[in-house]
Amino acid sequence: MNTDFSSAISAAPAFSLARAMPSNEHSTHSPREALMELAGPPRGYARGQHLFHAGDRDANLYFVESGSVKLYGITAGGAEQIFGFCLPGELFGLDVLGGPVHGCSAGVLEQTMVRALPVPEIRALYQRVPAVQQGIHRLLARRINELYDQMMVLSKKHADERLAGFLLGLDARLSGPQCKVHKLQLSMSRYEIGCYLGLALETVSRLLRRFDDEGLTCTRARRIQLCDIERLGALAGQTMASTAMITSLKFSA
Amino acid sequence: MNTDFSSAISAAPAFSLARAMPSNEHSTHSPREALMELAGPPRGYARGQHLFHAGDRDANLYFVESGSVKLYGITAGGAEQIFGFCLPGELFGLDVLGGPVHGCSAGVLEQTMVRALPVPEIRALYQRVPAVQQGIHRLLARRINELYDQMMVLSKKHADERLAGFLLGLDARLSGPQCKVHKLQLSMSRYEIGCYLGLALETVSRLLRRFDDEGLTCTRARRIQLCDIERLGALAGQTMASTAMITSLKFSA
DNA sequence: CGACGCATTGAACTGGTTCAAAACTCGTGG
DNA sequence: CCACGAGTTTTGAACCAGTTCAATGCGTCG
């Protein structure tokens, strides 16, 4: 399978895994390399396909090569709640480390390449390269802190603050910290943004319009340019600290 | 320090840690025992005191002997968001495993006994008893699934569903599955319940009144009896599966 | 007892939802 | 190349669950 899907998202830096897997071991393998050697071949998936569903007995973690994936659950009432979006260079499905089954579903948002990492082999690797386990611990713990942040967003922030934060977060993860252009090609619909932010899709649409009118963004369907990072950040209530956090949290469960 | 604080919460079963720490090692120590040997002596705290604040460089996990603790963060706007309540037998502060600092604050809700487990010693123990690390992994991963649940609550459920689910969850954790009485002595204020559920304290108060009027509960200040578990469960949208989940998730980060 | 913190209750308000319909995008095939 | 059509997105208008503000009531701990 080829890898030239013409998506802005695919252009994100791969192997940011390095930040979470310390490479203080100067032997044959760094922990990151050791872990990635377990990964199966990249496999292609199309929008709507799934890597796993909540409750599946599938002992694999997954690594995004290119494209994007949503993690979500279905409430008792049948509504969808998105727990996070996974972008290139990120690992997901971490919650399966807690037991035999996945606690959420993973659906593909666009043409996407993914590699599987078998959990039993990861566990076996702990013996040989103890630092790998450290790295996994770190990913799990960071994911918990990401979710704490998201809980604050869902229960305390206003719609416009949620959306501004979402756009800035996506931009930071896709483009890296020192990128100047701030153009995003969204792989998710307004409905999916709403599912993630706890808003109706109409609210997302109206808000994007308002941001455009106020000169914060320039939106053309799913192509969004962030024109005023400063004011978006002020709206989102971001401190320098929280911006730094985003870049250090390149991983998802 | 004595341990006879007259709180219903203190009567909860200790050492439910067993469920998360597999004891397939029949040597001198079970993983759970090995872990608990690292714990310092029980120390007493009063309402309002803290075990740690977000950002503290404190490399300890904590185990609740008796009493209760809230984990919370403060939003950019200065509002409090409670991430969870920790009850006897539960371990918290797990997010410090991801780095040098805690990602949330831990405040004591009533007279409480807590034991500290130093993270470096836990790591050292991994070498001797590999199953301990497995157990910690499991706790982290389960905590992620708990937070997924809470995100669904915060963004999709109505106020009455949130409160019903909260009361049932507390009851299950405090009394064990086969307890008949369903009487709770809350250690948190209406305000704190609201902070956890994403509601105003007035809404919590009004709803408790409505539950009483409808015969679901019998409330007298912080003493609440759940009179109709069936209907509360229906309101909360709980399936058998989700009830089973609660008991298997005895731990918090 | 007296007082302060907590809880209850009422009334007005509002941010975001819901429902409904029109307009747009983009892939597909004629 | 353009027209078609399904799925998205936009926009408008009414509505409502829960909040906010403001008193009043209760309990419990000096």
Side-chain angles (χ1 to χ4, degrees), chain B residues 71-151:
Chain B
L71 298 180
Y72 69 97
I74 303 293
T75 65
E80 175 176 345
Q81 172 65 42
I82 293 182
F83 302 134
F85 297 104
C86 306
L87 305 184
E90 299 181 346
L91 218 46
F92 66 92
L94 296 182
D95 65 354
V96 84
L97 289 167
V101 302
H102 284 280
C104 62
S105 303
V108 168
L109 293 175
E110 63 188 317
Q111 194 57 255
T112 294
M113 302 293 286
V114 169
R115 301 172 68 183
L117 294 103
V119 171
E121 293 188 31
I122 294 174
R123 285 202 219 283
L125 185 60
Y126 292 164
Q127 319 293 348
R128 284 181 284 134
V129 190
V132 165
Q133 141 172 43
Q134 271 269 41
I136 296 285
H137 255 150
R138 215 167 307 203
L139 292 179
L140 286 162
R142 281 184 188 171
R143 178 60 176 158
I144 288 171
N145 283 314
E146 281 184 348
L147 293 176
Y148 285 166
D149 271 5
Q150 192 59 14
M151 283 177 65

Side-chain angles (χ1 to χ4, degrees), chain A:
Chain A
M1 298 226 173
N2 68 31
T3 49
D4 65 349
F5 303 120
S6 53
S7 153
I9 284 180
S10 307
F15 292 106
S16 39
L17 189 53
R19 265 192 289 275
M21 303 300 278
S23 54
N24 43 8
E25 178 158 317
H26 288 277
S27 63
T28 48
H29 292 324
S30 78
R32 172 178 70 73
E33 285 166 350
L35 186 64
M36 287 311 291
E37 272 179 14
L38 301 181
R43 294 189 52 179
Y45 296 85
R47 163 140 192 125
Q49 291 192 288
H50 281 74
L51 288 143
F52 51 82
H53 284 92
D56 278 0
R57 257 193 141 70
D58 162 47
N60 286 291
L61 265 40
Y62 295 92
F63 177 82
V64 182
E65 286 280 345
S66 64
S68 51
V69 174
K70 66 174 174 182
L71 298 182
Y72 69 98
I74 303 293
T75 65
E80 176 175 345
Q81 172 65 42
I82 292 181
F83 302 134
F85 297 105
C86 307
L87 305 183
E90 299 181 347
L91 218 45
F92 65 91
L94 296 181
D95 65 354
V96 84
L97 290 167
V101 301
H102 284 281
C104 62
S105 302
V108 168
L109 292 174
E110 63 188 314
Q111 194 58 253
T112 294
M113 303 293 286
V114 170
R115 301 171 68 183
L117 293 103
V119 171
E121 293 188 31
I122 294 174
R123 285 203 219 284
L125 185 59
Y126 292 164
Q127 319 295 348
R128 283 180 286 134
V129 190
V132 166
Q133 139 169 45
Q134 271 269 41
I136 296 285
H137 256 149
R138 214 166 307 203
L139 292 178
L140 286 163
R142 280 184 188 171
R143 177 61 177 159
I144 288 172
N145 283 314
E146 281 183 347
L147 293 176
Y148 285 165
D149 271 5
Q150 192 59 15
M151 282 177 66
M152 295 211 251
V153 169
L154 288 176
S155 93
K156 298 288 199 282
K157 294 212 177 185
H158 285 193
D160 52 0
E161 300 170 325
R162 298 184 198 196
L163 187 60
F166 172 72
L167 293 174
L168 288 171
L170 258 196
D171 183 50
R173 286 159 70 197
L174 287 172
S175 320
Q178 66 275 359
C179 184
K180 300 281 188 346
V181 288
H182 305 299
K183 283 187 185 176
L184 301 175
Q185 166 73 284
L186 300 184
S187 60
M188 65 290 285
S189 67
R190 304 286 190 264
Y191 171 75
E192 286 165 326
I193 296 173
C195 281
Y196 179 60
L197 297 177
L199 300 172
L201 67 96
E202 292 95 329
T203 305
V204 175
S205 182
R206 274 185 257 267
L207 242 25
L208 282 172
R209 178 61 141 88
R210 210 188 77 196
F211 286 178
D212 273 26
D213 290 348
E214 294 175 352
L216 296 174
T217 59
C218 189
T219 306
R220 183 71 129 246
R222 292 195 184 179
R223 194 164 305 251
I224 300 186
Q225 176 164 13
L226 310 186
C227 305
D228 195 333
I229 300 285
E230 283 293 307
R231 276 199 294 156
L232 280 170
L235 227 190
Q238 280 189 344
T239 57
M240 275 299 92
S242 63
T243 309
M245 281 297 278
I246 287 171
T247 58
S248 72
L249 286 171
K250 270 294 273 187
F251 296 84
S252 320

